[in-house]
Amino acid sequence: APSPNTNPAATSGNGITQAVRLTVPISNDRSRFLGSGLDTGWGRPTSTALALSPDGSLLVYAASEYGADNSVTSRLYLRGLDQLQAEAMAGTEDGATPFFSPDGQWIGYFAGASLRRVAVTGGESQTIVADAGLYIRTIGIFAQFAYGASWGDDDTIVYGGADGLYRVAAQGGQPQLIVPRTSGAGEFTRLAQPQMLPGSKAVLLHATVAQDPSTAQLMLLDLDTGSLTMLLEDAMNPLLLDSGQLLFLRRGVLMSVPFDLAEATVTGEPVVVLDDVMQALNIPSTFHNTG
């Protein structure tokens, strides 16, 4: 475990960034566990449960606790990586799938059927979309499920809903369905884990057929034309770094590949970064608890 003042990326005297590993306990007595109320019916977290701020100084995650009557309470927790422990964020009950604004001053998240935001400094949570269209029919029942969201530098948010990908102003308003999900044989029925690229003209995401993670493809969405371009097969949960490296997950293995932002294309071969990673598949199925 690092000292309380250890930064997530320390810089040596010669200007070379050093990798730092640290362990962040969710709770000391195991009474709290990673994931939100949206996940408890599926086993392990099925939706992405944590996020780092753009400057790497803050970690936010959704976690749940069982009450004396076996009820489950979930909320968001925020921890500065120079702090010893995370603090519960007041007013974020039922919080799930958190994500940061580009300036790191706001945290967006889902709570029940709504899309909301709260300042990292605290204060009252604000509603962006009252009904974000998260209801799906699966295994013969209706349930809520979050497919991820991303806050662009144009102050709009792209998020996944049951009917496809939506876009809405970060201050709130009427969401626009920008890519509907399909239902035909062999067509993509799940569009998840979007990441708005700088300039807010394109989005990285993954798409799957039905509830089968082996069909996952990492896609690029052009927001001007609505066209989808396949970048990688057998790839999920994209995350583009400032360094130009595109991170993604492949069946529990964290991978990295060079990405040309100007051309919006992969420019090399993927390499393994870390094996044996628990992976949120963003698929509502008890048969696929983890990647």
Side-chain angles (χ1 to χ4, degrees), residues 206-222:
H206 74 243
T208 56
V209 175
Q211 296 184 30
D212 185 356
S214 68
T215 66
Q217 295 185 19
L218 197 152
M219 314 287 288
L220 179 80
L221 166 65
D222 186 315

Side-chain angles (χ1 to χ4, degrees), residues 69-248:
D69 57 353
N70 283 330
S71 62
V72 179
T73 301
S74 64
R75 58 176 56 86
L76 299 186
Y77 292 80
L78 183 65
R79 172 176 167 164
L81 294 189
D82 59 350
Q83 297 174 332
L84 290 176
Q85 63 185 19
E87 299 291 339
M89 301 192 73
T92 62
E93 287 73 17
D94 296 326
T97 318
F99 58 99
F100 280 91
S101 62
D103 61 8
Q105 299 303 304
W106 292 88
I107 296 169
Y109 66 98
F110 294 96
S114 66
L115 177 64
R116 306 183 65 83
R117 70 179 197 170
V118 64
V120 297
T121 53
E124 187 174 353
S125 173
Q126 302 173 10
T127 299
I128 300 173
V129 180
D131 185 353
L134 304 183
Y135 281 99
I136 59 170
R137 185 174 181 86
T138 182
I139 321 179
I141 61 172
F142 280 99
Q144 288 178 313
F145 195 80
Y147 294 98
S150 178
W151 195 317
D153 52 22
D154 66 343
D155 216 25
T156 66
I157 293 171
V158 170
Y159 68 92
D163 296 328
L165 285 181
Y166 289 84
R167 193 177 191 181
V168 66
Q171 291 80 18
Q174 182 65 35
Q176 175 192 6
L177 181 63
I178 53 176
V179 182
R181 61 171 287 187
T182 55
S183 57
E187 295 183 310
F188 292 122
T189 57
R190 298 284 183 267
L191 303 172
Q193 206 56 29
Q195 185 199 3
M196 292 262 271
L197 295 181
S200 300
K201 297 294 185 182
V203 178
L204 293 171
L205 66 137
H206 74 243
T208 56
V209 175
Q211 296 184 30
D212 185 356
S214 68
T215 66
Q217 295 185 19
L218 197 152
M219 314 287 288
L220 179 80
L221 166 65
D222 186 315
L223 287 172
D224 289 333
T225 65
S227 63
L228 284 167
T229 302
M230 194 272 289
L231 299 177
L232 291 166
E233 293 184 309
D234 192 8
M236 303 180 82
N237 300 73
L239 179 63
L240 182 64
L241 305 182
D242 291 340
S243 64
Q245 292 299 117
L246 174 58
L247 300 182
F248 64 94

